[in-house]
Amino acid sequence: MFDRFVVVDWSAHSTPKRGRDSIWIAVRDHNGTTVSNPSTRAEAEWILIDLLENDERTLLGVDFSLGYPMGTGAALGLSGVPWRATWELLHDLVVDREDNSNNRFAVASALNRRAGTQRP
């Protein structure tokens, strides 16, 4: 059914990193199994784009640590489908640079204040 299986263990580390607590990508195809450990999310994205830009049928599994309590979208005053509105808001607010530096903690703090779960 699939020509290739790709499994990714994602990381939110704020600096380039390899080894423990970093990004790992395992690929199993007709050539066997390969494992890579890119040091940044940008590098990992390029690897994944390269793997997916062909006609081979690929099953991609990614371990993202994303989860929000029920009602997050409403608490933030978002409209539409809650998960999508939350995702779009994060896409608009979070800046993730090629060196893994990002503003995710500042965004989280601002959203906590907006939702009324953190004092100003």
Side-chain angles (χ1 to χ4, degrees), residues 4-111:
R4 175 187 295 134
F5 299 88
V6 179
V7 179
V8 182
D9 183 7
W10 205 250
S11 172
H13 209 279
S14 295
T15 59
K17 183 169 194 231
R18 286 196 166 92
R20 185 181 172 127
D21 298 325
S22 65
I23 299 170
W24 291 89
I25 301 173
V27 178
R28 173 74 178 191
D29 60 18
H30 60 277
N31 294 319
T33 302
T34 59
V35 177
S36 60
N37 182 217
S39 64
T40 65
R41 286 181 293 282
E43 184 182 347
E45 287 174 19
W46 284 112
I47 291 169
L48 294 173
I49 288 168
D50 186 53
L51 285 168
L52 299 173
E53 283 188 332
N54 59 47
D55 292 331
E56 292 185 355
R57 293 169 298 184
T58 301
L59 177 65
L60 173 64
V62 183
D63 175 15
F64 289 117
S65 298
L66 300 175
Y68 304 95
M70 183 179 284
T72 297
L76 293 172
L78 303 176
S79 59
V81 179
W83 71 265
R84 180 167 296 183
T86 302
W87 189 256
E88 289 172 358
L89 178 64
L90 292 173
H91 176 268
D92 292 344
L93 297 178
V94 174
V95 176
D96 194 19
R97 295 175 190 87
E98 287 199 20
D99 66 354
N100 273 4
S101 63
N102 58 70
N103 66 337
R104 66 190 166 119
F105 291 116
V107 169
S109 182
L111 293 180

